[in-house]
């Protein structure tokens, strides 16, 4: 395809390092769509005859059907998806195939194909994240009142509800979706027609091809058009952040499934056994979601490093843009699906959660707050008094709400029996009515809004 000035063919190692067809065959649908839009424009502008354009377009349809049925043939000599398709077109329709590449270059062609692919990838991720949010909201609603220990430093801190905890992940996923939506909006410009780097002397209509491919507009600088991979980086950065959230959720499941916690029983469908220890039920799916986040982050780093030193415009380094995006997309899709499945089917042991919430002196802050509110005591002093109450409860091996009133009065005479109304975990969570707080009424209000956001 480009051998006019060469006397010898490439070394076999050159063939191998040069070829991107083993991975860029994934762009075949986008490549054919781009070529069809391009040739329709060439015909309308009188750059190629309508007859040739029709033959090219019909040939491309035939090739699409072949790829659909048998896959894309991997021929390293033909380098990439663009040349594999063009050479097949030549076999099918003869010399007219050679007119397709008028007023374009593989540089704008690949930039266009890849943008189209990333746009579709974002739509897939978007659908997956929506499903994850729906699962989170459904389980949160069932558990809006279920008390569990809330943690800071992974130490029992204050009681919260399981619904509240799950809705925290809903918020993370909401931000993830908005990052993907941003990425999609910024990717919505069509590089096709920028040609190799400088634009073209042919009377093309770039608005026409942009519109035909569903882009908002053509890109505005030909050099930037062929060398910009921000859209791929935007995707990878959004994917990294989403995977990071999935990883945190996975980590919770791993901790919760451990015997000392026992907060969840993982579904059989998302666990594995041990070949040597018959009692084991391992949280492999969650562990792999946690592991995949590292790989996705690695993909993002790989493309950042590839791009950071490149002068304008296209350099072949940029061919390496695709494997990390493909890899990250596959890993992210699996991670979202696995976490959604786990959320939908996990058994929450809410009795166990409640038991732990009651045993960890988690209402100590409520005692201190009561002293401030009812006794007019400065918070620092209330904190100290409460600390002594916790020590007494610990010594007696009882929860705070089972300390006798005399013991509490010995610690501070201003305490009276009204204190017992705030020391239960239910009273504690019910009192946290601040906007976004863990009170079941607040959690339910957020769930109602979330359902509206999700259109369900
Ligand atoms: N396979 C190439 C890539 O993915 C297509 C562009 C090749 N352009 C070039 N000037 N050799 O980047």
């Amino acid at each position: 395809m480009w051998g006019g000035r060469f006397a010898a063919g490439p070394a076999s190692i050159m063939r191998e390092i040069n070829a991107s067809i083993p991975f860029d065959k994934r762009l075949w649908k986008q490549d054919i769509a781009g070529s069809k839009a391009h040739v329709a424009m060439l015909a309308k502008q009188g750059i190629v005859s309508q007859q040739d354009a029709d033959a090219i377009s019909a040939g491309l349809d035939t090739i699409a059907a072949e790829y659909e049925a048998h896959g894309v043939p991997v021929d390293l000599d033909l380098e990439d998806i663009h040349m594999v398709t063009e050479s097949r077109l030549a076999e099918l329709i003869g010399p007219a195939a050679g007119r397709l590449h008028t007023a374009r270059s593989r540089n704008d062609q690949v930039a266009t194909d890849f943008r189209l692919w990333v746009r579709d990838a974002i739509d897939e991720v978007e659908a997956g994240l929506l499903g994850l949010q729906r699962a989170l909201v459904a389980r949160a609603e069932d558990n809006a009142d279920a008390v569990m220990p809330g943690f800071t430093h992974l130490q029992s801190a204050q009681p919260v509800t399981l619904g509240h905890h799950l809705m925290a992940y809903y918020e993370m996923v909401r931000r993830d979706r908005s990052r993907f939506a941003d990425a999609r909006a910024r990717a919505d410009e069509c590089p096709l027609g920028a040609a190799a780097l400088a634009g073209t002397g042919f009377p093309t209509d770039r608005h026409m091809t942009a519109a035909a491919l569903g882009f908002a507009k053509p890109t505005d600088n030909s050099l930037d058009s062929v060398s910009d991979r921000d859209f791929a980086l935007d995707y990878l950065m959004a994917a990294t952040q989403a995977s990071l959230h999935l990883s945190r959720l996975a980590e919770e499941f791993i901790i919760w499934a451990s015997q000392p916690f026992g907060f969840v029983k993982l579904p059989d469908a998302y666990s594995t056994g041990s070949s040597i220890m018959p009692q084991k039920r391992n949280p492999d799916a969650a562990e792999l979601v946690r592991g995949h986040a590292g790989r996705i982050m690695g993909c993002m780093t790989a493309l950042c490093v590839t791009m950071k030193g490149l002068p304008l415009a296209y350099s072949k380094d940029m061919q390496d843009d695709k494997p990390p995006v493909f890899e990250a997309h596959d890993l992210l899709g699996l991670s979202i699906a696995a976490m959604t499945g786990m959320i939908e089917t996990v058994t929450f042991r809410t009795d166990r959660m409640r038991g732990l919430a009651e045993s960890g002196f988690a209402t100590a802050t409520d005692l201190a707050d009561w002293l401030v509110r009812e006794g007019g005591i400065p918070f620092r002093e209330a904190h100290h008094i409460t600390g002594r109450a916790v020590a007494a409860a610990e010594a007696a091996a009882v929860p705070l709400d089972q300390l006798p009133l005399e013991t509490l009065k010995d610690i501070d005479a201003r305490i009276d029996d009204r204190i017992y109304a705030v020391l239960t975990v239910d009273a504690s969570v019910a009192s946290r009515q601040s906007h976004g707080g863990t009170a079941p009424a607040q959690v339910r209000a957020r769930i109602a809004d979330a359902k509206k956001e999700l259109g369900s």
Side-chain angles (χ1 to χ4, degrees), residues 20 24 80 82 106-107 110 229 314 316 318-319 322:
S20 54
D24 71 15
D80 57 27
H82 324 296
R106 278 187 292 158
N107 297 350
V110 74
R229 292 296 181 271
Y314 177 86
K316 196 66 171 253
M318 291 165 67
Q319 176 164 284
K322 286 166 278 304

Side-chain angles (χ1 to χ4, degrees), residues 149-369:
F151 299 95
T152 60
H153 313 268
L154 200 55
Q155 303 282 317
S156 198
Q158 292 174 350
V160 296
T161 70
L162 175 56
H164 195 50
H165 196 117
L166 293 172
M167 286 301 286
Y169 285 92
Y170 172 87
E171 302 294 342
M172 292 178 228
V173 179
R174 186 174 57 79
R175 294 192 294 277
D176 291 330
R177 285 183 61 199
S178 104
R179 262 182 290 273
F180 279 108
D182 276 358
R184 197 185 196 289
R186 260 194 304 280
D188 201 16
E189 298 181 5
C190 183
L192 189 59
L197 75 164
T200 176
F202 291 100
T204 53
D205 181 352
R206 292 193 56 214
H207 292 274
M208 179 179 168
T209 43
L213 293 170
F215 287 103
K217 62 188 277 293
T219 49
D220 291 325
N221 180 298
S222 61
L223 291 167
D224 180 49
S225 304
V226 294
S227 65
D228 167 38
R229 292 296 181 271
D230 289 6
F231 62 91
L233 285 167
D234 276 349
Y235 174 87
L236 287 171
M237 289 175 189
T240 296
Q241 193 125 24
S243 72
L244 210 143
H245 293 148
L246 292 167
S247 177
R248 292 183 73 177
L249 181 56
E251 173 66 7
E252 306 252 31
F253 273 52
I254 293 162
I255 294 174
W256 290 357
S258 69
Q259 282 73 27
F261 268 78
F263 282 8
V264 297
K265 177 166 182 268
L266 289 178
D268 287 356
Y270 291 95
S271 319
T272 59
S274 158
S275 53
I276 177 165
M277 296 163 284
Q279 85 283 10
K280 289 288 281 278
R281 171 191 286 275
N282 293 328
D284 293 37
E287 290 170 302
L288 286 164
V289 169
R290 189 176 59 182
H292 285 1
R295 288 174 63 191
I296 291 170
M297 205 176 297
C299 292
M300 180 203 68
T301 308
L303 187 54
C304 285
V305 177
T306 295
M307 293 305 297
K308 81 177 209 355
L310 296 185
L312 297 182
Y314 177 86
S315 299
K316 196 66 171 253
D317 317 40
M318 291 165 67
Q319 176 164 284
D320 280 343
D321 56 358
K322 286 166 278 304
V325 174
F326 293 159
E327 182 182 355
H329 183 63
D330 293 341
L331 294 173
L332 183 61
L334 276 171
S335 298
I336 294 170
M339 280 323 296
T340 305
M342 272 184 268
I343 295 280
E344 283 169 345
T345 52
V346 70
T347 307
F348 291 115
R349 295 197 152 135
T350 49
D351 49 337
R352 170 92 187 141
M353 293 181 182
R354 170 174 285 273
L356 253 98
E358 285 170 344
S359 70
F361 311 116
T363 56
T365 318
D366 300 274
L367 172 52
D369 286 349

Side-chain angles (χ1 to χ4, degrees), residues 16-25 79-81 319 322:
E16 207 169 316
I17 195 173
N18 200 30
S20 54
I21 185 65
F23 53 85
D24 71 15
K25 62 184 180 179
E79 287 187 29
D80 57 27
I81 184 62
Q319 176 164 284
K322 286 166 278 304

Side-chain angles (χ1 to χ4, degrees), residues 77-133:
D77 283 326
L78 292 171
E79 287 187 29
D80 57 27
I81 184 62
H82 324 296
M83 307 240 274
V84 167
T85 301
E86 197 183 320
S87 101
R88 178 67 186 135
L89 188 64
E91 284 171 11
L92 288 172
I93 69 165
R99 299 194 186 278
L100 169 60
H101 212 52
T102 314
R104 79 172 183 188
S105 141
R106 278 187 292 158
N107 297 350
D108 57 333
Q109 191 179 353
V110 74
T112 304
D113 293 359
F114 199 21
R115 269 190 203 238
L116 288 168
W117 191 92
V118 167
R119 210 172 58 174
D120 292 345
I122 289 175
D123 293 343
E124 279 177 31
V125 171
E126 172 69 11
L129 291 177
L130 179 66
L132 176 58
Q133 282 183 310

